[in-house]
Amino acid sequence: KNSDEAFDSMYEIEHTLLRRSAVLVKSATASADVTIPSSVELEEGGAKYNVTSIAESAFSSNTKLVNLTIPETIGTIGDNAFNGCSNLAVIVSNIVKPCKIASNVFSDYSATLYIPANSTVKDYSDNGWNFTNIFVGERKEVTLDDGMTFVYSTGDKKAMLTKVNSTDKDFTVPGSFKLEDVDYKVTAIGKNVFKDNKKIVNLTISENIVNIGAGAYLNCTTLKKVELPSTLDKIGDNAFDGCTAIAYI
């Protein structure tokens, strides 16, 4: 086993005549943003080893981890590898042909998963990557003139509302927006987006919205009326908790 001090990780080397590879055995990083390298050079001037596996419990219970990037070289991910990473919000996977993972690899599947443009949601779902929000293509972010911020994907042209700057009492979450003549479909409202908003009274959530994130409207005590779309499939934990004035949904 060898260590990579810069990444604060421990690797196990697998060396045969045909290939050199490394297993990420354990990471002790305290960084919120982690990009697992596709290869590592474990001695200065030494040979490079492709990182092909993430071992069992490698990042287990790392509550600092928020944004994770997985390289295209990964072929296996061990049980509980990211279990207990309770603040993990965004996963960018560069794996074109996803490996099968057990249900306990992640604590839950509420993080947003971005997959390569030449992969499919079905391939990932069939292999256990059962995330609520799976977007295809590169992840980007935009704040529109109305103060709403979205993250969106360049492949399937889907978007999630992640931030709102509004004091309006009547608020409509749009089902789409146009950016440089390209239409993007808004399919999700992110976690805690409207949390503790004391201005909103009447809320309309447009068609196309499939998922409302955990705590999205937590403690919006002035909220009285909510109109939900027929496309809605999932409402996250505590999404409307503390909305004591709601009289109509």
Side-chain angles (χ1 to χ4, degrees), residues 130-141:
N130 297 314
F131 288 86
T132 300
N133 296 301
I134 303 179
F135 290 177
V136 181
E138 186 180 355
R139 178 182 184 267
K140 293 194 172 185
E141 183 178 78

Side-chain angles (χ1 to χ4, degrees), residues 34-36 54 67-75 77 82 88 90-101 106 111-120 123-124 127 129 131 133-139:
V34 170
T35 297
I36 298 172
I54 301 170
N67 302 302
L68 170 69
T69 299
I70 301 173
E72 69 280 1
T73 52
I74 296 297
I77 301 177
F82 299 96
L88 182 58
V90 175
I91 302 167
V92 176
S93 172
N94 292 308
I95 307 171
V96 175
K97 295 182 178 179
C99 54
K100 185 174 286 294
I101 62 173
F106 298 93
T112 302
L113 174 66
Y114 291 83
I115 65 175
N118 52 345
S119 295
T120 68
D123 280 348
Y124 268 80
N127 283 287
W129 299 70
F131 288 86
N133 296 301
I134 303 179
F135 290 177
V136 181
E138 186 180 355
R139 178 182 184 267

Side-chain angles (χ1 to χ4, degrees), residues 28 30 58 73 123 134 147 153 155 159 172 194 204 233 239:
T73 52
D123 280 348
I134 303 179
S153 51
T172 297
F194 291 83
T204 300
D233 180 64

Side-chain angles (χ1 to χ4, degrees), residues 199-221:
K199 301 293 185 181
I200 188 169
V201 176
N202 302 304
L203 169 67
T204 300
I205 299 176
S206 300
E207 295 295 313
N208 290 336
I209 304 293
V210 178
N211 302 305
I212 298 175
Y217 296 93
L218 183 67
N219 295 329
C220 292
T221 54

